[in-house]
Amino acid sequence: MGSVDIPRESWATRAGFILAAVGSAVGLGNIWRFPFQVGQEGGAAFLAMYLLFIVAVGFPAMLVEFVVGRYTNRNPVGALKQLGSGVWQYVGWIFIATGFIILSYYSVVAGWTIRYFILGLQNEYLADPEASGGQFLELASGLDAIFFHALFMAIVVAVVAAGIKRGIELAVKVMVPAIIVITVGMAIYAFTLPGAGEAYSYYLSPDFGVIAENWTSILPAAAGQAFFTLSLGMGAMITYASYLDEDRNLAEDGAIIVGFDTSIAFIVGLVVFPILFTAGVDPGDPGAGAIFISLAAAFGDIQFGWLIGAIFFGTVAIAALSSAISLLEVVVSYLIDEKGIDRKVAAVGIGGGLFLLGIPSAWDLVLLDLFDLFADQILLVFGGLMLAILVGWVVSEIALEELSKGIGPLGSYGTVWIWLIRIPVIVVLVVALALGVVEYVDFLTGTEEGQFGWWLEENL
């Protein structure tokens, strides 16, 4: 029980919950990050390892968050207070902090997608990659970026303020099917492009020699992408599951969500790589702005690229919205459950705070990277690791009993799930956290252009 005893909302339909969870996962990793992660890590070899980790790490970890949310019927802070004692009761704050920080700069990135949607309608994509990069730098920071950051955040606040049934559930029932239909349609279009054959060979024919040669980078990258793309480690799935009834089969719902999410990521690859190969653009160009530089340049170089680009970036904007509302709901649900604050007041207040926190990210890309690396590679992974340890080793009996509701006796399947959490999931998260800390320290102290140490020297 939380500190304030108030009636909780619930999902009106099973489809509403599933679509909301799919929507939460799709925008954060699938359309913005996934294709370029594949490009940077060797194409099909990375795809093969990513799919393996989706099954071995992502699905078990998703059930962990579902079990915690439904058992407690509370936000991450209230859930961990109810489940744990001592230091464990404070772990929930990690999820609140993670969601708050991620959404502050994610809103800025989402604002870019709206801006690039408008660029497409104006037929202003630049075919030259260098010119496209300059265009991105001009639009991705400053007053233009702040305006679209504000616009996107206002839309997110409006949806969350309307509530679970009339806001979030209604929105995702429109947005997620639209994402699926548009991406499938674009994949069919991409199949007709001259570079499709070469792209499919790169994307779908794994060279396992590449895995053997580069496994130290491919394995943690694939495991991390599998974790991030399912929107785990930030409290969103805990919060969404807290609005569920006890008779729901969590394993079945989780499998459907993972299946939809992974399918969308896979289809996005079928869209992006034929476009890049047709335009002769390197699929492995790195950086937060890769999709806005490389892909925008490709759109500027192909027939009807302005229209295809507008559709693509419009889809990314929709996916970003479906993710953002889940992140805002994490923080809003805390204020409702624990403080008794009205939903509309909480949504507007938190949304305003997020807008202010996001202004530095909208003003300078280095500051966006400062927030992004800290949240994605440290807070996100650390929160997921702590939750896996708690469920796998401390409250495993409670977790197994909760998972069995709506399913029946778990038998050996329950044992397999718990041991997947106890060993492979925890090991993967420990490795990912260690690598993330090393990378963040390097970013903070590095003096090369684009690193925070360089930025401090330039601005202080």
Side-chain angles (χ1 to χ4, degrees):
M1 182 66 65
S3 59
V4 178
D5 188 12
I6 57 176
R8 279 179 63 80
E9 296 183 79
S10 62
W11 300 105
T13 62
R14 180 189 186 195
F17 163 66
I18 290 174
L19 290 174
V22 170
S24 175
V26 166
L28 283 173
N30 289 7
I31 302 180
W32 176 30
R33 183 182 180 194
F34 173 73
F36 295 96
Q37 189 82 58
V38 173
Q40 289 172 212
E41 300 296 341
F46 174 84
L47 176 64
M49 296 307 301
Y50 163 75
L51 295 175
L52 173 64
F53 279 112
I54 282 288
V55 176
V57 176
F59 179 61
M62 176 171 284
L63 292 184
V64 167
E65 298 210 11
F66 282 175
V67 162
V68 169
R70 190 176 69 175
Y71 176 78
T72 60
N73 294 128
R74 278 294 178 267
N75 62 88
V77 171
L80 272 294
K81 282 183 180 179
Q82 184 173 329
L83 268 181
S85 59
V87 71
W88 289 110
Q89 63 183 310
Y90 301 107
V91 172
W93 283 104
I94 298 172
F95 299 102
I96 298 295
T98 303
F100 197 88
I101 292 173
I102 288 178
L103 186 51
S104 72
Y105 68 80
Y106 188 67
S107 175
V108 175
V109 177
W112 299 345
T113 67
I114 298 174
R115 188 69 182 89
Y116 270 73
F117 167 73
I118 296 173
L119 278 184
L121 297 181
Q122 296 172 332
N123 195 15
E124 292 185 2
Y125 297 131
L126 303 178
D128 178 61
E130 185 174 344
S132 181
Q135 182 183 52
F136 169 73
L137 292 176
E138 181 181 347
L139 298 177
S141 58
L143 293 178
D144 193 86
I146 292 174
F147 170 78
F148 284 99
H149 163 48
L151 175 62
F152 182 81
M153 186 57 66
I155 297 172
V156 175
V157 168
V159 173
V160 173
I164 297 299
K165 295 178 182 177
R166 293 181 298 172
I168 297 175
E169 186 167 350
L170 184 62
V172 297
K173 283 182 175 178
V174 175
M175 290 188 294
V176 175
I179 293 169
I180 295 171
V181 170
I182 294 171
T183 52
V184 170
M186 291 190 68
I188 294 172
Y189 159 79
F191 176 76
T192 67
L193 295 176
E198 186 181 0
Y200 294 153
S201 177
Y202 172 82
Y203 184 49
L204 302 176
S205 301
D207 179 356
F208 292 101
V210 172
I211 298 178
E213 185 177 345
N214 302 298
W215 68 270
T216 55
S217 65
I218 292 178
L219 262 64
Q225 178 64 18
F227 194 75
F228 299 147
T229 195
L230 293 175
S231 200
L232 301 173
M234 60 191 71
M237 295 304 175
I238 294 176
T239 304
Y240 275 5
S242 73
Y243 301 117
L244 283 174
D245 297 325
E246 289 187 358
D247 61 350
R248 296 283 287 278
N249 186 324
L250 294 180
E252 187 176 274
D253 286 358
I256 293 172
I257 292 164
V258 169
F260 267 111
D261 177 74
T262 306
S263 297
I264 293 171
F266 178 76
I267 293 171
V268 167
L270 296 177
V271 173
V272 170
F273 291 114
I275 293 173
L276 292 178
F277 274 85
T278 297
V281 176
D282 182 3
D285 286 344
I291 191 175
F292 301 97
I293 298 173
S294 301
L295 202 54
F299 288 136
D301 194 49
I302 63 176
Q303 190 174 18
F304 302 114
W306 65 272
L307 177 60
I308 302 302
I311 294 172
F312 178 83
F313 284 112
T315 306
V316 179
I318 295 171
L321 177 60
S322 66
S323 290
I325 59 179
S326 71
L327 291 176
L328 182 58
E329 179 62 22
V330 171
V331 186
V332 168
S333 68
Y334 163 75
L335 294 179
I336 295 171
D337 290 346
E338 310 301 318
K339 304 300 180 181
I341 297 176
D342 177 75
R343 171 174 286 275
K344 292 182 176 62
V345 173
V348 172
I350 295 299
L354 286 165
F355 168 71
L356 294 176
L357 182 61
I359 288 177
S361 297
W363 193 255
D364 195 303
L365 291 177
V366 173
L367 298 179
L368 186 148
D369 286 338
L370 181 71
F371 285 109
D372 180 38
L373 286 173
F374 180 62
D376 279 2
Q377 300 196 25
I378 297 179
L379 284 181
L380 193 73
V381 180
F382 182 65
L385 174 62
M386 292 297 99
L387 195 63
I389 293 172
L390 175 64
V391 170
W393 292 100
V394 181
V395 296
S396 58
E397 293 300 321
I398 292 175
L400 284 169
E401 181 181 351
E402 183 64 30
L403 184 61
S404 70
K405 295 176 181 177
I407 301 176
L410 298 174
S412 60
Y413 293 106
T415 303
V416 170
W417 173 60
I418 283 295
W419 280 103
L420 281 173
I421 297 300
R422 287 176 172 175
I423 305 297
V425 170
I426 289 177
V427 167
V428 165
L429 293 179
V430 167
V431 172
L433 179 61
L435 293 173
V437 170
V438 170
E439 184 172 347
Y440 194 62
V441 170
D442 182 63
F443 172 76
L444 291 176
T445 58
T447 55
E448 295 182 8
E449 185 175 355
Q451 295 180 311
F452 188 65
W454 165 85
W455 185 87
L456 285 176
E457 290 182 1
E458 292 291 316
N459 291 275
L460 296 181

